[in-house]
Amino acid sequence: MKTTRKLAFVPAIALAFTLGACSSQNDPAPVESEPTSTTATSEATQSSSDDDRDDDADDTAESGDDDQASAASGVSSNEQALAAVAAAEGVNGGRAYSLETNHQRSEWKVKVVEGNEGRIYVIDQSGNVVRNEIDDDFDEDDKHVTDAGIISLADAVKAALAERPDGYLESADFDDNDDNKFYFEVELENEAGGDLAEFDIDAESGAVTVEG
């Protein structure tokens, strides 16, 4: 009887060990948590900060370029206006009697005496003729701009700009007064396009009279 109990006890112990081993094998292995890395976040923040500084630097440089272009635009505009007169007169060897610009100062309309007629030439900023046509308002008085002793329209413009170097040419026209004296009326504007000054330039002596 003792032997029988011992035999029954041994299998029970073996079974317990077997079940314990199976349970240990089926349990999932513990998962190790990875430490949170701050390197990527720090690098992203630094990159964003660098990009912001680069954008600010670019904006500052562009603003400076715009300011320099604005400061130089008056000289450039007036030089282009005089170049437009030379271009129009050079088409057929005519003589300019009127000049005006659009508000953007991107085109100039130059009226030129050619023989017994007046022609209108539209000149762009590059000095190219983009359009030309007959001036229907041309009259005999305009032809006097070709008389001996009459200064050129370009010289009249230069005389006015010498009085106001800060001005932007708006228009210049050959005309005569009640005493049949010929002169050039030159109007200058400010950078914003407002009226600045008006001059009468004697067409023979080149004397400058301030109007207004």
Side-chain angles (χ1 to χ4, degrees):
M1 294 298 292
K2 291 180 180 180
T3 303
T4 302
R5 283 197 297 272
K6 288 180 180 179
L7 292 175
F9 181 71
V10 171
I13 294 174
L15 178 61
F17 277 112
T18 302
L19 291 174
C22 291
S23 174
S24 175
Q25 292 175 356
N26 290 334
D27 288 343
V31 178
E32 295 182 1
S33 60
E34 296 182 357
T36 303
S37 174
T38 60
T39 303
T41 303
S42 177
E43 290 178 352
T45 302
Q46 180 64 36
S47 176
S48 176
S49 177
D50 290 343
D51 289 343
D52 290 341
R53 284 196 295 269
D54 290 342
D55 290 342
D56 291 342
D58 290 342
D59 291 342
T60 301
E62 289 177 1
S63 176
D65 291 342
D66 290 342
D67 290 342
Q68 291 176 0
S70 177
S73 61
V75 175
S76 176
S77 172
N78 293 329
E79 288 177 348
Q80 288 174 350
L82 294 172
V85 173
E89 291 181 332
V91 174
N92 289 311
R95 184 87 163 182
Y97 59 92
S98 179
L99 168 66
E100 64 179 292
T101 184
N102 58 13
H103 292 297
Q104 294 75 33
R105 306 185 188 108
S106 60
E107 287 186 344
W108 288 264
K109 183 167 70 174
V110 186
K111 296 183 178 183
V112 179
V113 177
E114 293 181 357
N116 292 317
E117 68 179 15
R119 294 200 69 85
I120 300 173
Y121 291 95
V122 178
I123 313 295
D124 65 13
Q125 289 177 311
S126 298
N128 300 315
V129 177
V130 297
R131 188 171 67 254
N132 79 86
E133 59 192 20
I134 294 291
D135 179 14
D136 294 330
D137 295 326
F138 178 74
D139 59 34
E140 290 297 316
D141 286 340
D142 294 326
K143 289 178 63 176
H144 285 290
V145 76
T146 63
D147 291 351
I150 298 296
I151 67 172
S152 68
L153 181 144
D155 285 339
V157 169
K158 292 176 183 178
L161 290 173
E163 296 291 324
R164 290 300 300 264
D166 59 327
Y168 294 76
L169 179 65
E170 179 181 1
S171 65
D173 292 287
F174 181 71
D175 205 350
D176 63 322
N177 58 25
D178 295 336
D179 298 327
N180 293 321
K181 292 281 292 182
F182 294 105
Y183 66 98
F184 289 94
E185 181 183 74
V186 181
E187 296 182 354
L188 304 181
E189 59 187 13
N190 57 31
E191 186 176 1
D195 293 339
L196 179 65
E198 181 179 326
F199 301 95
D200 287 347
I201 314 298
D202 189 289
E204 294 182 278
S205 68
V208 179
T209 302
V210 180
E211 291 296 319

